C-alpha cells in the first residue's frame, strides 16, 4: 500500500534577494527594486542603535521597528526586528502577532513577561539581562519592566509582516456591542462605559 505524503512550506526563493521597492507599494506587498538600483545600504539598518524615549509612549515603552518599510533588505527574508525600551514600570500590554512567533533577548533590566496558551494556561516569569524568551505565534503575550530603572530588549519575529493586535483596545475601542463586553469580561455597564 502506498502512502501519500504532503509537505508544505514557503517556496524556495528563485533569486538571491528581493529588496523592497518602497516607491511602488502594492496591497500587502512590494515589488523588487531593480537590481541595478540595489546598494549595500539596502541591507544595513542603524535605527536600532539609539533608544527612543519610552516616557513618550502611553504605557512607558517605545518600540522601534525594523520592518520592511524601514529596512527594505528584509523583504522576502521571512523575519523582522524591533528594539523595545521601557521606563521603570513600563508595559507592552497584552497583544498578539497573528503571523509570527517572537524571540526576545533582554539587554538591560528585568522584565516580567509571558504568554497564555489556548488552554488558558499562563507561562510567565521574571527574566533578566542575557536571557531570552519565545512567544509562540498568535498567542497573547506581554512584557512589564519590574526592575529598578530602565530596561531594553531586542525582538526577532519570524515574519516580514507579523501583525500586531493589542487585546484591550481591539475589544473596547472597536465598536463591539456593550452587552458582548459585559458578558465576555464579566463587567457591569458602568465598567464597560469607563473603558471606552
Amino acid at each position: 500500500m502506498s502512502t501519500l505524503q504532503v509537505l508544505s512550506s514557503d517556496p524556495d526563493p528563485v533569486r538571491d534577494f528581493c529588496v523592497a521597492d518602497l516607491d511602488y507599494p502594492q496591497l500587502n506587498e512590494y515589488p523588487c527594486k531593480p537590481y541595478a538600483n540595489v546598494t549595500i545600504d539596502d541591507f544595513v539598518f542603524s535605527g536600532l542603535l539609539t533608544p527612543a524615549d519610552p516616557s513618550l509612549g502611553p504605557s512607558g515603552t517605545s518600540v522601534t521597528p525594523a520592518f520592511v518599510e524601514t529596512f527594505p533588505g528584509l523583504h522576502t527574508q521571512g523575519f523582522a526586528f524591533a528594539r523595545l525600551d521601557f521606563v521603570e514600570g513600563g508595559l507592552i500590554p497584552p497583544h498578539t502577532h497573528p503571523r509570527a512567533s517572537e524571540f526576545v533577548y533582554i539587554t538591560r533590566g528585568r522584565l516580567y513577561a509571558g504568554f497564555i496558551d489556548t488552554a488558558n494556561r499562563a507561562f510567565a516569569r521574571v527574566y533578566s539581562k542575557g536571557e531570552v524568551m519565545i512567544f509562540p505565534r498568535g498567542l497573547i503575550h506581554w512584557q512589564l519592566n519590574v526592575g529598578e530603572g530602565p530596561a531594553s530588549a531586542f525582538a526577532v519575529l519570524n515574519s516580514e509582516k507579523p501583525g500586531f493586535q493589542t487585546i484591550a483596545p481591539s475589544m473596547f475601542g472597536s465598536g463591539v456591542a456593550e452587552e458582548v463586553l459585559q458578558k465576555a469580561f464579566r463587567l457591569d455597564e458602568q465598567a464597560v462605559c469607563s473603558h471606552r
Side-chain angles (χ1 to χ4, degrees):
M1 175 179 222
S2 65
T3 303
L4 175 64
Q5 184 177 16
V6 177
L7 302 174
S8 177
S9 68
D10 288 340
D12 287 333
V14 293
R15 57 182 78 174
D16 293 338
F17 51 82
C18 174
V19 171
D21 191 338
L22 301 179
D23 293 331
Y24 300 100
Q26 299 170 2
L27 181 64
N28 289 326
E29 186 62 49
Y30 290 98
C32 298
K33 181 187 273 191
Y35 183 78
N37 297 345
V38 174
T39 71
I40 186 61
D41 292 333
D42 291 314
F43 300 98
V44 178
F45 180 72
S46 301
L48 302 180
L49 292 172
T50 307
D53 185 354
S55 66
L56 300 177
S59 40
T61 60
S62 64
V63 176
T64 306
F67 291 3
V68 69
E69 291 79 11
T70 56
F71 189 3
L74 287 178
H75 189 43
T76 71
Q77 299 302 314
F79 54 92
F81 301 95
R83 180 184 175 126
L84 315 174
D85 291 290
F86 302 77
V87 296
E88 189 172 320
L91 169 71
I92 295 179
H95 63 282
T96 68
H97 302 289
R99 295 178 294 278
S101 298
E102 180 178 1
F103 175 91
V104 177
Y105 173 69
I106 303 299
T107 57
R108 178 181 184 186
R110 297 172 62 233
L111 297 177
Y112 172 67
F115 64 90
I116 300 171
D117 71 6
T118 57
N120 293 323
R121 181 176 172 198
F123 293 85
R125 74 171 180 92
V126 173
Y127 64 120
S128 302
K129 179 181 177 180
E131 292 187 285
V132 297
M133 186 167 192
I134 185 79
F135 302 116
R137 178 187 311 235
L139 296 184
I140 297 170
H141 59 283
W142 67 91
Q143 297 100 10
L144 171 66
N145 180 4
V146 295
E148 294 180 11
S152 297
F154 287 90
V156 179
L157 299 108
N158 67 341
S159 173
E160 179 179 315
K161 294 192 175 280
F164 180 85
Q165 185 175 31
T166 307
I167 305 308
S170 69
M171 293 300 296
F172 289 92
S174 62
V176 172
E178 288 182 12
E179 182 179 2
V180 172
L181 298 172
Q182 290 170 14
K183 289 180 178 181
F185 293 100
R186 299 182 182 129
L187 298 171
D188 61 30
E189 183 177 349
Q190 182 180 2
V192 169
C193 291
S194 70
H195 284 83
R196 288 185 166 228

